[in-house]
Amino acid sequence: MAFIQWDKSFSVGTTALDADHRRLIEILNRIYDAWQTDPSKIELDQLFDELLDYTDGHFNREESKLAARDYPLLAAHHAQHERLRETVLAFRTRHLAGNTPDALTEDMAKFLKSWLMDHILGEDMKYKPLFTERL
């Protein structure tokens, strides 16, 4: 079973952003799976690079869509994105600093899962009405 399983409760009301969130979940699942099989530092470096690259693109797409709809909480949402990115970078640096990656601890697994799920189910749901309500 996947570390994180997508379900319809994660939908934010727009196909493009839902697809982005599914892709982010898939990358996090690959990171988790790699850690379970004693990955090389190079493999985890590549997976975290992929996560950060895709996240940057997603944040830009999401913020652009929100700006086009005059989302009143956009500045706060952008700040949340920046904090998430900084946290992921710090996590990556801390746990991949040596020649071999640290073992995936329960705390790290919780972080990976909550990093995305808390953001989608908390922050992103605040903008869902922009895409689901008829004007």
Side-chain angles (χ1 to χ4, degrees):
M1 181 166 188
F3 177 56
I4 303 171
Q5 188 69 43
W6 171 269
D7 72 49
K8 65 183 180 179
S9 71
F10 304 149
S11 177
V12 294
T14 170
T15 304
L17 297 180
D18 286 347
D20 275 3
H21 290 154
R22 286 180 187 197
R23 176 79 174 121
L24 289 168
I25 287 170
E26 185 264 326
I27 295 168
L28 288 175
N29 282 336
R30 287 176 40 223
I31 290 171
Y32 180 80
D33 289 346
W35 234 307
Q36 300 307 305
T37 60
D38 194 27
S40 69
K41 183 178 182 311
I42 292 171
E43 180 183 9
L44 280 174
D45 277 344
Q46 291 170 342
L47 286 168
F48 272 101
D49 285 347
E50 182 179 352
L51 175 64
L52 289 166
D53 287 345
Y54 197 82
T55 300
D56 284 344
H58 164 66
F59 288 167
N60 288 333
R61 285 186 293 278
E62 185 176 79
E63 290 173 17
S64 177
K65 287 183 176 293
L66 296 177
R69 288 173 171 75
D70 296 321
Y71 183 53
L73 302 175
L74 181 56
H77 199 81
H78 173 76
Q80 178 75 16
H81 285 167
E82 289 301 310
R83 282 191 300 277
L84 286 169
R85 188 176 196 294
E86 289 169 9
T87 302
V88 170
L89 282 170
F91 175 85
R92 178 185 193 262
T93 300
R94 185 172 58 250
H95 296 288
L96 300 180
N99 291 330
T100 58
D102 290 346
L104 183 66
T105 65
E106 185 176 337
D107 287 344
M108 284 187 265
K110 284 179 184 176
F111 164 77
L112 288 172
K113 195 169 197 172
S114 69
W115 174 77
L116 183 63
M117 303 318 303
D118 289 352
H119 185 73
I120 293 172
L121 295 173
E123 294 302 313
D124 289 355
M125 286 301 154
K126 292 177 184 176
Y127 68 66
K128 185 175 182 174
L130 293 176
F131 297 101
T132 57
E133 292 179 354
R134 299 268 182 224
L135 300 176

